PDB file of all heavy atoms in Angstrom:
ATOM      1  N   VAL P 635       0.849  -1.192   0.000  1.00  0.00           N
ATOM      2  CA  VAL P 635       0.000   0.000   0.000  1.00  0.00           C
ATOM      3  C   VAL P 635       0.880   1.237   0.000  1.00  0.00           C
ATOM      4  O   VAL P 635       1.466   1.595   1.028  1.00  0.00           O
ATOM      5  CB  VAL P 635      -0.955   0.029   1.219  1.00  0.00           C
ATOM      6  CG1 VAL P 635      -1.794   1.304   1.208  1.00  0.00           C
ATOM      7  CG2 VAL P 635      -1.843  -1.203   1.252  1.00  0.00           C
ATOM      8  N   GLY P 636       1.044   1.854  -1.168  1.00  0.00           N
ATOM      9  CA  GLY P 636       1.810   3.088  -1.240  1.00  0.00           C
ATOM     10  C   GLY P 636       3.250   2.950  -0.790  1.00  0.00           C
ATOM     11  O   GLY P 636       3.779   3.843  -0.118  1.00  0.00           O
ATOM     12  N   GLY P 637       3.870   1.817  -1.127  1.00  0.00           N
ATOM     13  CA  GLY P 637       5.269   1.626  -0.754  1.00  0.00           C
ATOM     14  C   GLY P 637       5.455   0.996   0.608  1.00  0.00           C
ATOM     15  O   GLY P 637       6.595   0.730   1.019  1.00  0.00           O
ATOM     16  N   ARG P 638       4.375   0.720   1.327  1.00  0.00           N
ATOM     17  CA  ARG P 638       4.464   0.069   2.633  1.00  0.00           C
ATOM     18  C   ARG P 638       3.859  -1.323   2.568  1.00  0.00           C
ATOM     19  O   ARG P 638       2.978  -1.596   1.764  1.00  0.00           O
ATOM     20  CB  ARG P 638       3.721   0.881   3.698  1.00  0.00           C
ATOM     21  CG  ARG P 638       4.335   2.239   3.987  1.00  0.00           C
ATOM     22  CD  ARG P 638       3.630   2.879   5.186  1.00  0.00           C
ATOM     23  NE  ARG P 638       2.242   3.234   4.875  1.00  0.00           N
ATOM     24  CZ  ARG P 638       1.313   3.481   5.805  1.00  0.00           C
ATOM     25  NH1 ARG P 638       1.618   3.363   7.093  1.00  0.00           N
ATOM     26  NH2 ARG P 638       0.088   3.823   5.438  1.00  0.00           N
ATOM     27  N   GLU P 639       4.346  -2.218   3.422  1.00  0.00           N
ATOM     28  CA  GLU P 639       3.768  -3.545   3.565  1.00  0.00           C
ATOM     29  C   GLU P 639       2.914  -3.537   4.825  1.00  0.00           C
ATOM     30  O   GLU P 639       3.441  -3.423   5.940  1.00  0.00           O
ATOM     31  CB  GLU P 639       4.864  -4.605   3.661  1.00  0.00           C
ATOM     32  CG  GLU P 639       5.705  -4.758   2.406  1.00  0.00           C
ATOM     33  CD  GLU P 639       4.924  -5.386   1.266  1.00  0.00           C
ATOM     34  OE1 GLU P 639       4.083  -6.268   1.539  1.00  0.00           O
ATOM     35  OE2 GLU P 639       5.147  -5.007   0.099  1.00  0.00           O
ATOM     36  N   LEU P 640       1.601  -3.652   4.650  1.00  0.00           N
ATOM     37  CA  LEU P 640       0.686  -3.581   5.788  1.00  0.00           C
ATOM     38  C   LEU P 640       0.023  -4.931   6.021  1.00  0.00           C
ATOM     39  O   LEU P 640      -0.387  -5.599   5.061  1.00  0.00           O
ATOM     40  CB  LEU P 640      -0.401  -2.539   5.538  1.00  0.00           C
ATOM     41  CG  LEU P 640       0.032  -1.073   5.392  1.00  0.00           C
ATOM     42  CD1 LEU P 640      -1.198  -0.198   5.150  1.00  0.00           C
ATOM     43  CD2 LEU P 640       0.783  -0.613   6.637  1.00  0.00           C
ATOM     44  N   PRO P 641      -0.104  -5.364   7.282  1.00  0.00           N
ATOM     45  CA  PRO P 641      -0.908  -6.554   7.549  1.00  0.00           C
ATOM     46  C   PRO P 641      -2.312  -6.350   6.996  1.00  0.00           C
ATOM     47  O   PRO P 641      -2.846  -5.237   7.037  1.00  0.00           O
ATOM     48  CB  PRO P 641      -0.926  -6.644   9.080  1.00  0.00           C
ATOM     49  CG  PRO P 641       0.262  -5.854   9.526  1.00  0.00           C
ATOM     50  CD  PRO P 641       0.447  -4.769   8.516  1.00  0.00           C
ATOM     51  N   MET P 642      -2.900  -7.416   6.475  1.00  0.00           N
ATOM     52  CA  MET P 642      -4.214  -7.302   5.849  1.00  0.00           C
ATOM     53  C   MET P 642      -5.220  -6.615   6.766  1.00  0.00           C
ATOM     54  O   MET P 642      -6.032  -5.800   6.321  1.00  0.00           O
ATOM     55  CB  MET P 642      -4.737  -8.685   5.475  1.00  0.00           C
ATOM     56  CG  MET P 642      -6.091  -8.681   4.805  1.00  0.00           C
ATOM     57  SD  MET P 642      -6.707 -10.333   4.471  1.00  0.00           S
ATOM     58  CE  MET P 642      -6.734 -11.018   6.121  1.00  0.00           C
ATOM     59  N   ALA P 643      -5.172  -6.921   8.062  1.00  0.00           N
ATOM     60  CA  ALA P 643      -6.133  -6.344   9.005  1.00  0.00           C
ATOM     61  C   ALA P 643      -6.071  -4.823   9.032  1.00  0.00           C
ATOM     62  O   ALA P 643      -7.082  -4.159   9.275  1.00  0.00           O
ATOM     63  CB  ALA P 643      -5.907  -6.911  10.403  1.00  0.00           C
ATOM     64  N   GLU P 644      -4.895  -4.250   8.755  1.00  0.00           N
ATOM     65  CA  GLU P 644      -4.749  -2.793   8.774  1.00  0.00           C
ATOM     66  C   GLU P 644      -5.286  -2.131   7.518  1.00  0.00           C
ATOM     67  O   GLU P 644      -5.353  -0.904   7.441  1.00  0.00           O
ATOM     68  CB  GLU P 644      -3.281  -2.414   8.980  1.00  0.00           C
ATOM     69  CG  GLU P 644      -2.754  -2.769  10.362  1.00  0.00           C
ATOM     70  CD  GLU P 644      -1.333  -2.260  10.598  1.00  0.00           C
ATOM     71  OE1 GLU P 644      -0.890  -1.335   9.866  1.00  0.00           O
ATOM     72  OE2 GLU P 644      -0.664  -2.794  11.501  1.00  0.00           O
ATOM     73  N   THR P 645      -5.676  -2.925   6.525  1.00  0.00           N
ATOM     74  CA  THR P 645      -6.274  -2.350   5.312  1.00  0.00           C
ATOM     75  C   THR P 645      -7.798  -2.380   5.366  1.00  0.00           C
ATOM     76  O   THR P 645      -8.453  -1.900   4.449  1.00  0.00           O
ATOM     77  CB  THR P 645      -5.803  -3.096   4.047  1.00  0.00           C
ATOM     78  OG1 THR P 645      -6.348  -4.425   4.040  1.00  0.00           O
ATOM     79  CG2 THR P 645      -4.286  -3.161   3.984  1.00  0.00           C
ATOM     80  N   LEU P 646      -8.356  -2.947   6.422  1.00  0.00           N
ATOM     81  CA  LEU P 646      -9.805  -2.918   6.607  1.00  0.00           C
ATOM     82  C   LEU P 646     -10.207  -1.518   7.031  1.00  0.00           C
ATOM     83  O   LEU P 646      -9.488  -0.851   7.783  1.00  0.00           O
ATOM     84  CB  LEU P 646     -10.235  -3.940   7.652  1.00  0.00           C
ATOM     85  CG  LEU P 646      -9.817  -5.397   7.384  1.00  0.00           C
ATOM     86  CD1 LEU P 646     -10.256  -6.295   8.541  1.00  0.00           C
ATOM     87  CD2 LEU P 646     -10.403  -5.900   6.070  1.00  0.00           C
ATOM     88  N   VAL P 647     -11.354  -1.045   6.569  1.00  0.00           N
ATOM     89  CA  VAL P 647     -11.785   0.345   6.794  1.00  0.00           C
ATOM     90  C   VAL P 647     -10.603   1.255   6.435  1.00  0.00           C
ATOM     91  O   VAL P 647     -10.168   2.089   7.231  1.00  0.00           O
ATOM     92  CB  VAL P 647     -12.254   0.567   8.250  1.00  0.00           C
ATOM     93  CG1 VAL P 647     -13.012   1.882   8.357  1.00  0.00           C
ATOM     94  CG2 VAL P 647     -13.135  -0.567   8.733  1.00  0.00           C
ATOM     95  N   GLY P 648     -10.083   1.050   5.199  1.00  0.00           N
ATOM     96  CA  GLY P 648      -8.814   1.673   4.812  1.00  0.00           C
ATOM     97  C   GLY P 648      -8.915   2.830   3.853  1.00  0.00           C
ATOM     98  O   GLY P 648      -7.935   3.150   3.177  1.00  0.00           O
ATOM     99  N   GLY P 649     -10.078   3.487   3.766  1.00  0.00           N
ATOM    100  CA  GLY P 649     -10.212   4.591   2.824  1.00  0.00           C
ATOM    101  C   GLY P 649      -9.234   5.716   3.070  1.00  0.00           C
ATOM    102  O   GLY P 649      -8.776   6.375   2.124  1.00  0.00           O
ATOM    103  N   ALA P 650      -8.886   5.945   4.323  1.00  0.00           N
ATOM    104  CA  ALA P 650      -7.959   7.030   4.646  1.00  0.00           C
ATOM    105  C   ALA P 650      -6.559   6.782   4.100  1.00  0.00           C
ATOM    106  O   ALA P 650      -5.748   7.711   4.016  1.00  0.00           O
ATOM    107  CB  ALA P 650      -7.905   7.222   6.165  1.00  0.00           C
ATOM    108  N   LEU P 651      -6.263   5.543   3.704  1.00  0.00           N
ATOM    109  CA  LEU P 651      -4.942   5.216   3.161  1.00  0.00           C
ATOM    110  C   LEU P 651      -4.794   5.616   1.697  1.00  0.00           C
ATOM    111  O   LEU P 651      -3.688   5.602   1.163  1.00  0.00           O
ATOM    112  CB  LEU P 651      -4.687   3.705   3.278  1.00  0.00           C
ATOM    113  CG  LEU P 651      -4.672   3.098   4.687  1.00  0.00           C
ATOM    114  CD1 LEU P 651      -4.660   1.580   4.589  1.00  0.00           C
ATOM    115  CD2 LEU P 651      -3.455   3.600   5.463  1.00  0.00           C
ATOM    116  N   ILE P 652      -5.905   5.981   1.031  1.00  0.00           N
ATOM    117  CA  ILE P 652      -5.863   6.181  -0.417  1.00  0.00           C
ATOM    118  C   ILE P 652      -5.315   7.547  -0.838  1.00  0.00           C
ATOM    119  O   ILE P 652      -4.456   7.621  -1.734  1.00  0.00           O
ATOM    120  CB  ILE P 652      -7.265   5.953  -1.030  1.00  0.00           C
ATOM    121  CG1 ILE P 652      -7.729   4.523  -0.743  1.00  0.00           C
ATOM    122  CG2 ILE P 652      -7.251   6.218  -2.532  1.00  0.00           C
ATOM    123  CD1 ILE P 652      -9.142   4.223  -1.214  1.00  0.00           C
ATOM    124  N   PRO P 653      -5.779   8.675  -0.272  1.00  0.00           N
ATOM    125  CA  PRO P 653      -5.361   9.977  -0.816  1.00  0.00           C
ATOM    126  C   PRO P 653      -3.866  10.237  -0.792  1.00  0.00           C
ATOM    127  O   PRO P 653      -3.347  10.892  -1.706  1.00  0.00           O
ATOM    128  CB  PRO P 653      -6.114  10.976   0.073  1.00  0.00           C
ATOM    129  CG  PRO P 653      -7.312  10.221   0.572  1.00  0.00           C
ATOM    130  CD  PRO P 653      -6.815   8.834   0.774  1.00  0.00           C
ATOM    131  N   GLY P 654      -3.152   9.736   0.195  1.00  0.00           N
ATOM    132  CA  GLY P 654      -1.719  10.003   0.288  1.00  0.00           C
ATOM    133  C   GLY P 654      -0.947   9.530  -0.928  1.00  0.00           C
ATOM    134  O   GLY P 654      -0.416  10.340  -1.707  1.00  0.00           O
ATOM    135  N   PRO P 655      -0.854   8.229  -1.147  1.00  0.00           N
ATOM    136  CA  PRO P 655      -0.140   7.730  -2.337  1.00  0.00           C
ATOM    137  C   PRO P 655      -0.892   7.997  -3.634  1.00  0.00           C
ATOM    138  O   PRO P 655      -0.276   8.069  -4.701  1.00  0.00           O
ATOM    139  CB  PRO P 655      -0.013   6.231  -2.072  1.00  0.00           C
ATOM    140  CG  PRO P 655      -1.066   5.908  -1.083  1.00  0.00           C
ATOM    141  CD  PRO P 655      -1.255   7.138  -0.250  1.00  0.00           C
ATOM    142  N   GLY P 656      -2.207   8.132  -3.581  1.00  0.00           N
ATOM    143  CA  GLY P 656      -2.997   8.389  -4.784  1.00  0.00           C
ATOM    144  C   GLY P 656      -3.506   7.114  -5.424  1.00  0.00           C
ATOM    145  O   GLY P 656      -2.937   6.028  -5.253  1.00  0.00           O
ATOM    146  N   LEU P 657      -4.572   7.250  -6.177  1.00  0.00           N
ATOM    147  CA  LEU P 657      -5.249   6.102  -6.760  1.00  0.00           C
ATOM    148  C   LEU P 657      -4.361   5.347  -7.749  1.00  0.00           C
ATOM    149  O   LEU P 657      -4.325   4.115  -7.752  1.00  0.00           O
ATOM    150  CB  LEU P 657      -6.533   6.577  -7.451  1.00  0.00           C
ATOM    151  CG  LEU P 657      -7.672   5.567  -7.602  1.00  0.00           C
ATOM    152  CD1 LEU P 657      -8.110   5.030  -6.244  1.00  0.00           C
ATOM    153  CD2 LEU P 657      -8.853   6.199  -8.325  1.00  0.00           C
ATOM    154  N   GLY P 658      -3.632   6.072  -8.598  1.00  0.00           N
ATOM    155  CA  GLY P 658      -2.788   5.417  -9.590  1.00  0.00           C
ATOM    156  C   GLY P 658      -1.727   4.546  -8.952  1.00  0.00           C
ATOM    157  O   GLY P 658      -1.499   3.404  -9.366  1.00  0.00           O
ATOM    158  N   ARG P 659      -1.045   5.058  -7.933  1.00  0.00           N
ATOM    159  CA  ARG P 659       0.001   4.300  -7.253  1.00  0.00           C
ATOM    160  C   ARG P 659      -0.581   3.039  -6.608  1.00  0.00           C
ATOM    161  O   ARG P 659       0.024   1.958  -6.676  1.00  0.00           O
ATOM    162  CB  ARG P 659       0.665   5.180  -6.185  1.00  0.00           C
ATOM    163  CG  ARG P 659       1.630   4.440  -5.241  1.00  0.00           C
ATOM    164  CD  ARG P 659       2.853   3.922  -5.986  1.00  0.00           C
ATOM    165  NE  ARG P 659       3.693   3.080  -5.155  1.00  0.00           N
ATOM    166  CZ  ARG P 659       4.664   3.535  -4.347  1.00  0.00           C
ATOM    167  NH1 ARG P 659       4.910   4.842  -4.271  1.00  0.00           N
ATOM    168  NH2 ARG P 659       5.389   2.704  -3.645  1.00  0.00           N
ATOM    169  N   LEU P 660      -1.745   3.144  -5.994  1.00  0.00           N
ATOM    170  CA  LEU P 660      -2.325   1.998  -5.306  1.00  0.00           C
ATOM    171  C   LEU P 660      -2.786   0.925  -6.290  1.00  0.00           C
ATOM    172  O   LEU P 660      -2.653  -0.275  -6.015  1.00  0.00           O
ATOM    173  CB  LEU P 660      -3.492   2.451  -4.428  1.00  0.00           C
ATOM    174  CG  LEU P 660      -3.094   3.326  -3.235  1.00  0.00           C
ATOM    175  CD1 LEU P 660      -4.325   3.766  -2.467  1.00  0.00           C
ATOM    176  CD2 LEU P 660      -2.125   2.598  -2.307  1.00  0.00           C
TER     177      LEU P 660
END
């Protein structure tokens, strides 16, 4: 996710993770 390796559980309810790296990068 945006250059980071996140445990799957941390991507749940993960909308806030999108704007930083941007849609294309993700």
Side-chain angles (χ1 to χ4, degrees):
V635 178
R638 294 187 292 162
E639 295 290 324
L640 296 180
M642 181 183 59
E644 292 186 19
T645 68
L646 304 177
V647 194
L651 299 170
I652 300 176
L657 205 58
R659 171 66 187 273
L660 293 178

